[in-house]
Amino acid sequence: MSQSESCANVGEWLGVLRLEQYSDAFQSAGYATLQQCRSLTPEQLECIGITLPGHQRRILASLNKTHGNHDAHTIGPFERSEEMGQAEFLGGDRPLPVPPCEKSLLQDNVKYEGSLHSQQGSFYLPHTGVLASTMKEDTSQLSAVIKMGWLDKNPPQGAIYYQRRWVKLDADYLRYFDTDKDVYSKGIISTAFITNVTTVGELKFEVVTNNRTFIFRAESEAERNEWVTVLQDCTSGRQRHTVMNPGSPLAPDYQGYLELKGLRSKLYTVVASDKVFLYKNIDDYRIGLGITSIEMNVGNIKVSDRRSFDLTTPYRIFSFIAESEQMREQWVNAMRDAIGEALSNSEVAERIWAESSNSLCADCEAPKPEWAAINLCVVVCKQCAGEHRGLGPSISKVRSLKMDKKVWTEELIQLFLVIGNERANSFWAANVPPSEALSPSSCSEERRRFISNKYRQGKYRRYHALYGNQRELNHALCINVQCSDVLETLSLIFCGADVNCSTGLESQPSPLSLATAHSQPLQAELLNHNLNTEEVDAMDPEPYPLPPSVSHNGFLFKTASMARPVTERKAKEEFSRRWCTLNDGVFSYYESDKNSNPNGALKASEIVCLASDNDDRHGYNNTFEIYTESERLYLFGTDDSEVKSQWVKSIAKAFIPVSAEPLLRLNSERIGKLMCKDGLNLQRSKVGWFALEGSVLHVYLEGSQVEEIHLRKLNELSIQQDNEVMVLVGKGRTLYIEGKRKLDFSCWCAAIQAAAGSGGDRLHEQQLTETDIPVIVDSCINYITQCGMVSEGIYRKSGVNSRVAALCERFRHDARSLCLREGEHQVDDVSNTLKRFFRELKEGVFTTQDSPSWLSTASKTIQDESTKISQYKQFLNKLPHVNKATLQALIEHLYCVQHFSDDNQMNNHNLAIVFGPTLFQTDGKDYAAGRAIEDLIEHYKLIFEVDEQQLNKQIEVIEVIHKMRNLKNPPSERGGDFICTVYLEEKASGERHVKIPGSMTALELTLEILDQRNIPIKDKDYWSCWEICCKEEMERPLHYQERVLPIVHSIGTESHLLIKKHAAMEAITLYLSSKPDASKHGMIKFREERSILGLGLTSFHERYFILNYNSLRMYKDVRSNRPEREWPVKNLKVYLGIKKKLRPPTCPQFDFYRTVCFTYLPLFICRYLCCETQSEMREWYATFLSIQYDGNVWPQDGLQHKRVSRELPDTRHGNVSLIPLRGSENEMRNSVAAFSQDQLAVSQSTNHWE
């Protein structure tokens, strides 16, 4: 070793080994150079703080190679120098090889040994992750090498030429490589399958297996004879294998086919213990002939895509593709377990398993458990250990038997041997009902529930005789720790004894000191690990109720199981008759009632949802669906509704827990379990049992009562597709339902959304507010209160019929999602929408049965008003609750409207003329309807028993709103004009103040500013009005027909309007003219602002987008068939640019024209799309514009350079004639009566009231 090598820095050396995390530990221990480290031993490394066996082996092997420590790797009688031949031994003093060049691991096999001959050289592994030359070879492979050297190998096809190969022999495999510097072999031959090794011809010898013969040639006869002798010694006396069998030492932990990127064929891959083996196919695996093996002590797993993952080593990166996403997860878990096995130490585990009961998990009885709860004294498997961690360290302190070596003191090991799982469970699991017991195949949800009941609540424990008497428990603990009965101590601690109680002795004040003083190390160990353990929840020792036994049988008709929701009608021909039974929690179906072997079976524990279909949905009128944990859907049908009802009740009773039994009494359409979070605890999901009955969702969460969620009364119902979360926001409660399983979750979402929508044309079937008022009524009233209370002729002016019809349809589809906004919706459209709702309401607000009584009372001439009021109050109290609440809300609103009659010209009488025929759904010829409404408005406070003070406050609030609107929109020469500051070309160039009326468009504003500055418009000058926001980081060109006033009202203090040329408009119009349709798709980098729930992609990720006439859809990649997100294009507000602090990945410097930002109006959350080039961004933006404005992106004739008159008629009311607001009472009655019959024919003659 040279002087420079001996003085090499330890930090650099550890960096080469990928163990730089230990640099500080080496420095603190006084090891600064490699020379100082040369004599390190495993014990010294452990003292430094390096406890992982794999890391220790890597460090010691590197030191041995660097310093030429031959003693540590003695080979035996075959040690020789290079001068004696080409064979080399591990003890040879040679430098470590450098990293291999980029060559195919499979080249030898690809050329000569099978069906992969067409893929020569296609297996390519990048340099990524390759270490420096000082850490080349896998030391765990080198440590077992018996002999190695250069040999010529003859291909199996018997070609006349030989290939030079570097060959290594260890106890298990004969491996051959391209060069002596390669880590991963081109082929491996299991020595267990070698049947004979003999010399053949000059310098040759053959290695014979049951299915293949390999011929090698050495450079000398002595070398040949030495190889033969070593191979014969290695294989002699060994049990021969003809095929790989499960009992062999190579029995795999996981196996199957994986595709290796760059190679079109799949490889048979085997994960066995701490290694991964690659084979060409399963036949080669069975006869022990492989390609290479990968030591996992230097491996790392990285998930890269939906089906892909990388196995990274310091020498190569193996990029695998699994058959499915689910298979990918299983492969990743298996390889990570192999890494853990490679880095673990089995000494403690073997000692713990020496107690026979410890070789089975204390919770589910899985074999060879490798984890333990050291304070609870139980040994558990990996799956149960995960649920123990969920309890928190204050209840269960989980440690590994193989990796947490420091924890396992001799006393703790002896404690686990003395108690053992069997004795521990005699306390912890003394009263477990058979139906609740776990098995190794139990799902995580069952494990979580069982382990929480067992250790957090102590539901199954054996109660101590002193349970409940704290003083006696503490006294008994102090006495017991002085003897060796640790199980009694465990029982006392977890039945309430205080580990830190006072003993009353000054010399031994605590039970721990008392145990130490009496030489009871196991007692002290148990107490020490429970000093901070949380007390088990106190509960009465009542027997746990067993679920009722359910059995049922009969014939049903069944379709094939499905992996997606049933969206199409299933004809009778698609069903097959099956004999079905339900016994002992298992639902089975047979070919006939004569068969003894079922065609299939479903355990009740596997069922997650049961849905009863509508009667006419399929060929059989009575069908139901069963959803399982494995995401399969089973459809059954029958002709008899009673048979269906009995099956649904029996199956529901079999899989619904006893605690959720109230759900079984409901006539539910859908029942099952889902994961959810509530507003009080968003950190951890819990299991909820749900039943959907009509528009009511019944919810049972463990430890609580069944709750009712009235879906039509929700404040918000939204689904976030990327996170598979449904958000239900109700009165004082927010519930987040999670889609752990996509199949049943998607069906639950569809069912809940349908139930939450309007269920019909009756009042109680509408979506309601918390006060039982239809959302459409509440929304329209609120909008008119804020924007139209002083509008002249409110409720008498006609809206545009097409817009009114569109609003009605949107409210009918989902009233909760529609938000009425000033500028976007017109007052008269909204008022006519409200009237149309009441006119088309089935049975009306007064009900068909009671409306004659109202009209009769109104038509009578009653001198005493109090008598009439009393009758009205009686009729009011007879109305259904929803009708009464709705009528009160409407009359209160009309009362407030008439309060402002000086401005809106709508007094009691005028309002009654409009709403009488509407609410009573008459033809307008009966004046009694108008009289009744007039009475209700006039005597509103008495009939509805309203607090007059509260009503006056409400009117004061409306007056304040009116005043604020006047301040925001100050009156000028024309009512509604607004003074606004507009800039030309840039903000620093000077500002212009312009009066903007409500009808002014962006084109008109642009022309007015250009007129003021006397700027001529040249050909192909695309002057536009722009909305500049976010400190000039984002901007949006207004469409030339877009109204400016709503934009002025909506922009914040950091935003302004700017007139400048649209540099990209010519390119946009040319692009659109060349496209046959307005659609686009492609890969774009995407991110969004964080939502309130902390959800969303808050960094840039590449996604596949499709933009068409209806929506913008985002997919994870091109191959995905289900969008992660979807936004309606018409509701998007599209900006150019991005906030600088977000650092878009495609823009080295800030660049407006490579980034698109859009806001989805109902949520106001910004999403950012970053394109690679400006032209790509222009194409996306042009497509957005074309879709949003139906292809009308720019005026066909260009800009008209003339002063556009702003004295335009108010077109908000369309071309419908307005009802006269002034004149004699008879004239107005004639108009309104006609209007009530036909809103578009106001000239027809009608009868008078009197």
Side-chain angles (χ1 to χ4, degrees):
M1 182 180 64
S2 65
Q3 182 67 24
S4 61
E5 288 174 327
S6 65
C7 298
N9 182 271
V10 165
E12 296 176 358
W13 167 62
L14 290 173
V16 170
L17 298 182
R18 296 289 178 88
L19 297 175
E20 58 272 7
Q21 65 267 32
Y22 297 126
S23 296
D24 293 340
F26 271 81
Q27 296 287 346
S28 300
Y31 298 100
T33 65
L34 281 179
Q35 179 67 32
Q36 295 170 333
C37 298
R38 63 181 302 170
S39 60
L40 282 174
T41 64
E43 292 74 17
Q44 290 174 316
L45 287 176
E46 191 158 337
C47 292
I48 293 175
I50 305 171
T51 58
L52 291 178
H55 291 181
Q56 291 182 2
R57 290 198 296 266
R58 200 186 306 178
I59 291 172
L60 292 174
S62 177
L63 289 173
N64 289 333
K65 298 301 293 181
T66 304
H67 296 289
N69 187 351
H70 306 305
D71 297 335
H73 295 284
T74 302
I75 298 178
F78 303 107
E79 185 172 349
R80 48 186 273 177
S81 66
E82 287 185 307
E83 287 77 4
M84 296 175 64
Q86 291 296 323
E88 289 188 81
F89 301 94
L90 190 61
D93 188 10
R94 62 181 177 86
L96 279 174
V98 297
C101 60
E102 303 297 342
K103 289 186 178 180
S104 170
L105 297 181
L106 306 176
Q107 186 177 3
D108 196 36
N109 292 282
V110 168
K111 281 184 178 180
Y112 306 109
E113 297 184 11
S115 61
L116 303 180
H117 62 277
S118 62
Q119 303 300 328
Q120 180 178 352
S122 63
F123 181 63
Y124 183 79
L125 300 177
H127 275 293
T128 308
V130 179
L131 288 181
S133 60
T134 55
M135 184 54 188
K136 186 274 172 195
E137 294 202 12
D138 194 328
T139 57
S140 60
Q141 288 184 11
L142 286 174
S143 60
V145 172
I146 298 172
K147 181 175 176 60
M148 55 188 170
W150 289 101
L151 291 173
D152 295 329
K153 175 182 174 293
N154 190 31
Q157 284 80 1
I160 60 174
Y161 56 86
Y162 283 77
Q163 299 164 330
R164 191 166 177 78
R165 296 286 179 254
W166 178 257
V167 184
K168 291 182 182 179
L169 173 67
D170 58 40
D172 296 315
Y173 292 99
L174 178 67
R175 310 168 192 264
Y176 50 91
F177 303 78
D178 261 340
T179 71
D180 60 343
K181 297 178 174 59
D182 287 347
V183 173
Y184 300 114
S185 62
K186 300 185 72 60
I188 56 176
I189 307 168
S190 174
T191 56
F193 288 81
I194 297 177
T195 59
N196 192 21
V197 181
T198 59
T199 60
V200 288
E202 186 179 358
L203 304 179
K204 300 177 187 175
F205 66 93
E206 63 180 15
V207 177
V208 182
T209 69
N210 289 319
N211 302 79
R212 192 83 59 83
T213 298
F214 298 86
I215 300 177
F216 295 92
R217 184 176 63 190
E219 293 189 351
S220 66
E221 187 173 349
E223 180 70 14
R224 189 268 311 272
N225 293 338
E226 189 170 329
W227 272 107
V228 170
T229 303
V230 172
L231 282 167
Q232 289 175 342
D233 290 345
C234 182
T235 58
S236 62
R238 169 172 293 202
Q239 181 182 359
R240 305 286 180 220
H241 294 294
T242 56
V243 294
M244 193 71 68
N245 60 77
S248 70
L250 298 176
D253 299 317
Y254 200 76
Q255 59 185 329
Y257 280 99
L258 280 175
E259 181 181 342
L260 195 60
K261 285 186 180 178
L263 189 71
R264 295 179 185 175
S265 298
K266 296 181 179 180
L267 298 180
Y268 195 75
T269 308
V270 175
V271 181
S273 184
D274 59 348
K275 297 179 180 63
V276 173
F277 294 86
L278 301 182
Y279 299 86
K280 279 200 309 179
N281 50 53
I282 190 171
D283 294 330
D284 279 5
Y285 161 66
R286 288 172 176 166
I287 61 176
L289 302 179
I291 298 170
T292 191
S293 65
I294 307 166
E295 295 284 340
M296 298 300 281
N297 63 329
V298 292
N300 187 34
I301 301 297
K302 180 181 178 182
V303 177
S304 56
D305 201 351
R306 190 174 65 175
R307 296 190 298 123
S308 305
F309 66 96
D310 294 337
L311 168 55
T312 306
T313 72
Y315 327 110
R316 284 289 187 270
I317 295 177
F318 298 85
S319 297
F320 293 109
I321 302 176
E323 293 181 355
S324 65
E325 192 170 352
Q326 184 178 6
M327 292 291 291
R328 193 258 336 250
E329 292 301 318
Q330 295 174 2
W331 277 109
V332 167
N333 291 336
M335 291 193 181
R336 284 175 175 164
D337 289 344
I339 293 173
E341 179 69 21
L343 300 177
S344 64
N345 190 319
S346 300
E347 180 185 350
V348 172
E350 295 295 341
R351 292 187 62 187
I352 295 292
W353 294 338
E355 162 58 40
S356 59
S357 64
N358 287 340
S359 62
L360 297 176
C361 174
D363 294 330
C364 72
E365 297 188 351
K368 299 297 182 183
E370 298 180 359
W371 299 82
I374 58 176
N375 62 320
L376 306 177
C377 296
V378 290
V379 185
V380 294
C381 65
K382 180 180 179 180
Q383 287 76 15
C384 291
E387 303 305 329
H388 273 264
R389 288 195 192 92
L391 300 176
S394 61
I395 294 178
S396 182
K397 299 176 182 177
V398 183
R399 299 292 184 270
S400 171
L401 301 184
K402 292 187 172 182
M403 290 182 284
D404 295 322
K405 186 177 178 181
K406 281 190 173 181
V407 173
W408 292 99
T409 61
E410 184 61 31
E411 291 78 11
L412 185 58
I413 294 174
Q414 290 301 322
L415 177 64
F416 271 74
L417 292 175
V418 169
I419 294 182
N421 278 351
E422 184 177 359
R423 297 189 70 205
N425 272 339
S426 68
F427 167 70
W428 284 115
N431 301 296
V432 178
S435 61
E436 292 236 343
L438 293 182
S439 67
S441 61
S442 296
C443 65
S444 59
E445 179 187 325
E446 292 171 341
R447 292 178 194 270
R448 185 179 303 119
R449 186 188 307 114
F450 177 84
I451 289 170
S452 177
N453 289 340
K454 184 177 179 181
Y455 300 105
R456 182 190 292 277
Q457 300 179 22
K459 183 178 288 187
Y460 314 127
R461 61 185 162 173
R462 174 174 51 82
Y463 285 84
H464 197 278
L466 301 176
Y467 178 78
N469 190 330
Q470 187 67 53
R471 181 176 178 182
E472 292 300 324
L473 284 170
N474 293 348
H475 184 62
L477 178 64
C478 293
I479 294 174
N480 197 71
V481 297
Q482 302 176 42
C483 66
S484 59
D485 191 353
V486 286
L487 184 61
E488 176 70 7
T489 301
L490 182 74
S491 175
L492 288 166
I493 292 174
F494 289 100
C495 281
D498 185 1
V499 179
N500 299 300
C501 67
S502 174
T503 62
L505 302 174
E506 292 186 5
S507 56
Q508 295 96 33
S510 66
L512 178 58
S513 59
L514 200 60
T516 304
H518 285 80
S519 301
Q520 296 295 335
L522 303 189
Q523 295 278 18
E525 190 74 15
L526 177 59
L527 292 169
N528 189 51
H529 287 298
N530 284 288
L531 293 175
N532 299 310
T533 300
E534 187 176 307
E535 184 180 352
V536 175
D537 292 347
M539 58 180 296
D540 296 331
E542 297 178 353
Y544 193 77
L546 293 174
S549 177
V550 183
S551 62
H552 196 69
N553 58 63
F555 280 104
L556 288 172
F557 296 88
K558 175 187 177 295
T559 65
S561 66
M562 292 159 276
R564 60 182 61 190
V566 183
T567 56
E568 299 177 351
R569 178 182 175 85
K570 296 288 184 180
K572 279 192 173 184
E573 293 74 19
E574 299 181 67
F575 288 80
S576 302
R577 191 168 184 257
R578 294 288 182 265
W579 175 256
C580 301
T581 64
L582 177 62
N583 289 307
D584 298 326
V586 179
F587 177 78
S588 306
Y589 47 91
Y590 301 77
E591 192 72 27
S592 71
D593 56 347
K594 308 297 183 183
N595 290 65
S596 58
N597 294 324
N599 290 8
L602 300 173
K603 292 183 180 179
S605 58
E606 297 174 354
I607 300 176
V608 296
C609 181
L610 176 65
S612 178
D613 295 326
N614 297 329
D615 289 345
D616 57 348
R617 185 175 179 188
H618 299 294
Y620 286 94
N621 289 337
N622 302 282
T623 57
F624 61 91
E625 300 170 359
I626 297 176
Y627 299 78
T628 65
E629 283 277 5
S630 58
E631 302 213 40
R632 302 296 296 179
L633 187 157
Y634 297 81
L635 177 62
F636 295 89
T638 178
D639 282 325
D640 192 333
S641 60
E642 185 61 30
V643 171
K644 168 193 168 182
S645 177
Q646 291 175 359
W647 272 110
V648 168
K649 289 180 180 178
S650 299
I651 295 173
K653 189 179 291 186
F655 83 95
I656 298 296
V658 177
S659 54
E661 188 179 3
L663 299 179
L664 298 174
R665 306 189 193 107
L666 305 171
N667 186 24
S668 55
E669 306 148 27
R670 182 176 294 268
I671 188 170
K673 62 180 177 179
L674 292 164
M675 301 302 294
C676 61
K677 299 176 183 177
D678 56 23
L680 301 177
N681 182 13
L682 298 179
Q683 302 302 318
R684 183 173 178 179
S685 303
K686 51 187 174 183
V687 178
W689 294 91
F690 295 78
L692 181 61
E693 183 184 31
S695 63
V696 179
L697 184 65
H698 302 264
V699 183
Y700 171 75
L701 303 179
E702 192 171 352
S704 62
Q705 300 295 321
V706 174
E707 301 180 50
E708 293 182 358
I709 299 178
H710 293 269
L711 298 175
R712 291 183 187 145
K713 293 186 179 182
L714 290 175
N715 296 333
E716 177 190 338
L717 191 158
S718 60
I719 299 175
Q720 304 203 5
Q721 294 289 357
D722 55 336
N723 294 283
E724 297 290 349
V725 176
M726 172 178 271
V727 184
L728 307 179
V729 181
K731 185 178 181 180
R733 174 73 182 275
T734 301
L735 187 67
Y736 305 93
I737 301 176
E738 299 177 336
K740 181 181 178 182
R741 299 165 301 274
K742 292 183 179 180
L743 178 59
D744 66 298
F745 178 73
S746 63
C747 296
W748 270 107
C749 290
I752 290 174
Q753 285 180 314
S758 298
D761 295 328
R762 292 179 173 84
L763 204 58
H764 68 276
E765 295 173 337
Q766 308 302 310
Q767 292 175 306
L768 304 174
T769 66
E770 296 174 2
T771 54
D772 289 331
I773 301 170
V775 174
I776 179 175
V777 175
D778 187 65
S779 298
C780 292
I781 287 176
N782 288 339
Y783 179 84
I784 293 171
T785 299
Q786 294 184 35
C787 305
M789 191 62 79
V790 295
S791 175
E792 188 173 295
I794 183 67
Y795 289 117
R796 292 182 66 180
K797 289 183 180 179
S798 301
V800 177
N801 195 52
S802 60
R803 294 203 296 252
V804 173
L807 275 176
C808 288
E809 181 59 31
R810 289 187 64 187
F811 273 121
R812 190 176 294 111
H813 179 260
D814 186 6
R816 191 182 296 105
S817 65
L818 178 57
C819 182
L820 298 174
R821 291 185 176 85
E822 187 177 11
E824 184 178 345
H825 302 97
Q826 306 303 327
V827 169
D828 295 318
D829 292 340
V830 176
S831 65
N832 278 267
T833 299
L834 181 62
K835 290 189 297 182
R836 183 173 294 187
F837 168 75
F838 281 112
R839 174 166 286 278
E840 296 176 352
L841 194 64
K842 195 169 184 178
E843 295 187 358
V845 69
F846 291 101
T847 73
T848 305
Q849 180 181 356
D850 293 335
S851 58
S853 301
W854 288 86
L855 294 174
S856 174
T857 300
S859 61
K860 292 178 182 178
T861 305
I862 302 176
Q863 298 296 330
D864 186 7
E865 290 291 332
S866 62
T867 303
K868 183 182 286 190
I869 292 172
S870 177
Q871 291 182 5
Y872 282 140
K873 291 174 70 173
Q874 291 178 10
F875 300 149
L876 182 67
N877 292 329
K878 288 175 61 178
L879 289 176
H881 177 70
V882 175
N883 297 53
K884 180 180 179 181
T886 305
L887 181 61
Q888 180 171 355
L890 178 63
I891 300 302
E892 180 183 273
H893 170 64
L894 297 180
Y895 181 88
C896 295
V897 171
Q898 62 85 30
H899 183 81
F900 295 90
S901 59
D902 292 341
D903 296 310
N904 58 37
Q905 307 300 316
M906 295 300 291
N907 55 26
N908 290 356
H909 186 71
N910 291 344
L911 289 171
I913 292 173
V914 174
F915 276 95
T918 298
L919 295 179
F920 283 98
Q921 300 178 344
T922 63
D923 56 6
K925 297 179 180 180
D926 186 0
Y927 70 91
R931 180 69 68 191
I933 300 303
E934 190 170 356
D935 289 340
L936 288 176
I937 298 174
E938 183 178 352
H939 303 293
Y940 165 68
K941 290 183 285 187
L942 295 174
I943 296 174
F944 292 92
E945 299 178 353
V946 176
D947 184 352
E948 186 171 358
Q949 186 177 0
Q950 186 176 355
L951 181 62
N952 292 335
K953 285 184 178 179
Q954 184 174 346
I955 293 175
E956 289 176 5
V957 170
I958 297 174
E959 290 174 345
V960 171
I961 293 173
H962 179 50
K963 291 178 181 178
M964 291 178 65
R965 289 178 61 82
N966 285 339
L967 291 174
K968 189 175 182 181
N969 303 300
S972 59
E973 296 176 4
R974 291 181 302 273
D977 288 5
F978 190 86
I979 305 297
C980 177
T981 302
V982 183
Y983 299 90
L984 182 65
E985 295 193 290
E986 59 182 13
K987 192 172 183 179
S989 65
E991 59 187 36
R992 310 294 296 178
H993 300 287
V994 184
K995 284 189 291 186
I996 300 177
S999 61
M1000 176 178 275
T1001 64
L1003 174 61
E1004 294 168 0
L1005 176 60
T1006 301
L1007 294 175
E1008 180 159 326
I1009 295 296
L1010 296 178
D1011 284 349
Q1012 289 182 10
R1013 297 294 294 270
N1014 295 320
I1015 297 176
I1017 299 177
K1018 300 178 182 179
D1019 188 28
K1020 294 187 178 180
D1021 273 358
Y1022 295 94
W1023 288 95
S1024 301
C1025 179
W1026 297 68
E1027 176 190 350
I1028 312 296
C1029 56
C1030 298
K1031 300 179 181 178
E1032 301 187 7
E1033 294 176 342
M1034 289 166 33
E1035 59 185 11
R1036 181 177 75 91
L1038 274 61
H1039 187 261
Y1040 75 93
Q1041 292 180 338
E1042 191 171 352
R1043 296 286 181 92
V1044 179
L1045 192 58
I1047 306 300
V1048 173
H1049 290 325
S1050 65
I1051 60 178
T1053 56
E1054 296 182 350
S1055 304
H1056 60 274
L1057 295 181
L1058 181 72
I1059 306 298
K1060 67 174 183 176
K1061 292 180 181 179
H1062 198 317
M1065 183 53 70
E1066 183 175 4
I1068 287 174
T1069 54
L1070 288 173
Y1071 170 74
L1072 293 176
S1073 64
S1074 65
K1075 281 182 63 66
D1077 62 335
S1079 64
K1080 188 166 178 60
H1081 58 88
M1083 299 295 295
I1084 308 182
K1085 290 184 170 59
F1086 170 82
R1087 74 162 290 169
E1088 63 186 335
E1089 294 177 345
R1090 188 179 296 275
S1091 67
I1092 297 175
L1093 300 177
L1095 305 175
L1097 296 173
T1098 53
S1099 60
F1100 283 97
H1101 296 266
E1102 198 164 40
R1103 290 292 186 266
Y1104 182 70
F1105 282 84
I1106 297 178
L1107 175 62
N1108 57 29
Y1109 281 104
N1110 298 318
S1111 62
L1112 174 67
R1113 295 195 297 271
M1114 181 178 77
Y1115 298 81
K1116 189 171 184 180
D1117 53 42
V1118 179
R1119 295 171 294 181
S1120 301
N1121 54 18
R1122 180 180 178 183
E1124 291 184 327
R1125 305 282 189 86
E1126 185 171 358
W1127 300 275
V1129 180
K1130 299 291 185 180
N1131 288 353
L1132 300 182
K1133 203 171 183 180
V1134 184
Y1135 292 83
L1136 302 175
I1138 189 172
K1139 297 176 183 177
K1140 293 181 180 179
K1141 64 180 181 180
L1142 298 181
R1143 298 179 181 176
T1146 58
C1147 306
Q1149 294 180 347
F1150 182 62
D1151 188 348
F1152 267 139
Y1153 298 104
R1154 286 166 68 178
T1155 310
V1156 175
C1157 164
F1158 67 89
T1159 301
Y1160 179 43
L1161 292 179
L1163 299 178
F1164 295 102
I1165 298 175
C1166 284
R1167 281 90 175 182
Y1168 303 94
L1169 308 180
C1170 287
C1171 305
E1172 293 292 340
T1173 63
Q1174 292 185 13
S1175 60
E1176 181 186 3
M1177 190 284 306
R1178 276 198 303 270
E1179 292 174 2
W1180 278 98
Y1181 183 68
T1183 310
F1184 272 114
L1185 288 180
S1186 179
I1187 293 173
Q1188 290 186 324
Y1189 296 101
D1190 299 322
N1192 185 15
V1193 175
W1194 192 257
Q1196 291 184 355
D1197 301 329
L1199 296 180
Q1200 302 298 319
H1201 185 47
K1202 61 182 179 179
R1203 181 69 177 234
V1204 180
S1205 173
R1206 246 68 63 190
E1207 296 291 349
L1208 299 175
D1210 192 345
T1211 60
R1212 289 177 299 170
H1213 315 299
N1215 56 0
V1216 181
S1217 301
L1218 301 182
I1219 302 171
L1221 298 178
R1222 293 176 176 81
S1224 67
E1225 184 175 296
N1226 287 339
E1227 290 176 346
M1228 287 188 285
R1229 286 177 182 167
N1230 290 340
S1231 300
V1232 175
F1235 176 74
S1236 66
Q1237 296 180 53
D1238 186 352
Q1239 298 182 7
L1240 299 181
V1242 297
S1243 60
Q1244 301 175 9
S1245 60
T1246 60
N1247 294 335
H1248 296 289
W1249 278 7
E1250 353 178 81

